[in-house]
Each structure stands twice: as structure tokens, then as C-alpha cells.
Amino acid sequence: MDNGQTNGNKNSRAIIIAVCCVIAVVLVGFCFIGVLPFMAARDLFNSAVNTDISSYNVTVTAEITEVLVKTDPDSDDGNGGKVKMYTPVYEYEYNGKKYSVTGGVSSSEKKYEVGDRAEVQISADRPGMMYDPQLSFRNSFNKVQRGFSAMFAVMLIVPIILAVVIAAIIIIALRKSRAQSSCNSDSSAQHEYSDPNDDYRG
């Protein structure tokens, strides 16, 4: 192997290492720029919506007696109409007394119909206080969080796949180039040491 081929191999390895280092730096930078702010924002929202519900220590079955509908005049549902917010009214009995409580969370999705039943949490000390695990800020935020997490995972995976593909293409191209250079070098050596005037036919 001549010095030219040796230098070519060294240059190819150097280029491959440089490309891999650049891709690694880009991926690490992307993780720091994208992942850390996302996790910080998630923790901030978690602390905001994860209110203390330890006082809601009794489970009762409530009936939906009414669904209040409120239209936001400044909203747009995408079909030319206004967004409607639904708030259920719960009725339940505790210690022989009936309570009617309007839900503390409204939703653009109509979660309940009149006559539906729901398992809710109330406070034994203040039975008029009620918490619906199926319709709460925490539950709504968890749904949004799962959607954003899935989207963010796709945004993170796609650049990694592209980086791996680009690195593989560069490595394959360099290897083919090195193999071609080796073939050309061997061919040149054969031509160099062959004598067209030699006649071995006797």
C-alpha cells in the first residue's frame, strides 16, 4: 500500500470521525434546547394543576341533573360557530342529606348527559365540596400532556433518524471512494511493472 492510499485512508477516517462528532454535537444541542425547556414547562404546569385533593376522602355516586351550556362569544369552533362550554350539575346524597353541586370544571366536550351517573369524591367535613376525577383540570392537562409528549417524541426521533441516515450515506460513500482508489492504485501498479516488449511465448 503506497503513501497516497495510506493518506487517503487516514483522510477518510478523519472525515468520518468529524461527521460523527458534528452529528453528536447537533443532537446533544437539540436535546438541551428542546428537551430541557419542555420538561421545565411540564413540571410548571404539573405544579399548577396538581392541587391538593386529600380532603376529598369519601366516594359517592352522583347523578347528573343538568348540563349548563355557556357560549364564548369571542371563540371560533372552526365551523363558523362559537365554542360551547359544558358544565354538569351533580346531585348526590350523604348522611341522609341531598346536595346539588355545579361542577368546578367546564369542558368543550360534553362529558355527561342528564341522567348519567358518576363516581365523585366529596369531603366528609364539608359534603358540599365535590371533586370529579373524570372531569378535572388534572385529567384535562394529562390528556394535553400526552398529546404534546407524543408530538415531541416524533420531533426528537426524526432528526436522530435523519442524522443516522446522513452519517451512513457519508460513510458508505467514503468507503466506496476508498475502494475505488485502491482498485485504481492496483491497476496503475500492474501497468507500471508490465513490459509490452517481453515475449514469453518461446
Side-chain angles (χ1 to χ4, degrees), residues 75-83:
S75 63
D76 185 357
D77 63 1
N79 297 318
K82 303 300 180 181
V83 175

Side-chain angles (χ1 to χ4, degrees), residues 80-168:
K82 303 300 180 181
V83 175
K84 293 181 179 180
M85 303 298 292
Y86 301 93
T87 307
V89 178
Y90 303 80
E91 186 176 282
Y92 53 89
E93 184 176 341
Y94 181 69
N95 285 343
K97 184 177 179 180
K98 285 189 175 182
Y99 297 86
S100 181
V101 180
T102 300
V105 177
S106 299
S107 172
S108 58
E109 176 187 358
K110 195 174 184 180
K111 178 70 176 179
Y112 297 113
E113 297 288 347
V114 173
D116 287 347
R117 294 183 177 273
E119 296 294 319
V120 299
Q121 304 288 325
I122 65 172
S123 171
D125 296 329
R126 299 177 62 186
M129 292 177 58
M130 184 216 71
Y131 168 78
D132 184 356
Q134 298 301 317
L135 190 60
S136 63
F137 286 116
R138 177 183 299 182
N139 193 42
S140 300
F141 175 73
N142 287 339
K143 290 181 180 179
V144 174
Q145 180 180 330
R146 285 193 293 268
F148 274 107
S149 297
M151 181 180 67
F152 188 79
V154 172
M155 291 175 61
L156 182 62
I157 292 173
V158 169
I160 293 176
I161 294 175
L162 289 177
V164 171
V165 170
I166 292 172

Side-chain angles (χ1 to χ4, degrees), residues 10-84:
K10 290 182 178 179
N11 291 336
S12 298
R13 285 194 293 269
I15 292 173
I16 292 172
I17 293 173
V19 169
C20 293
C21 289
V22 170
I23 291 175
V25 169
V26 170
L27 292 178
V28 171
F30 179 81
C31 289
F32 274 102
I33 294 173
V35 175
L36 294 181
F38 173 79
M39 294 180 66
R42 185 190 63 182
D43 292 340
L44 180 63
F45 279 109
N46 271 330
S47 62
V49 300
N50 287 341
T51 54
D52 182 19
I53 58 173
S54 59
S55 59
Y56 300 97
N57 50 10
V58 177
T59 301
V60 298
T61 301
E63 181 180 352
I64 308 302
T65 57
E66 187 179 359
V67 178
L68 305 177
V69 183
K70 183 178 180 180
T71 303
D72 185 353
D74 299 324
S75 63
D76 185 357
D77 63 1
N79 297 318
K82 303 300 180 181
V83 175
K84 293 181 179 180

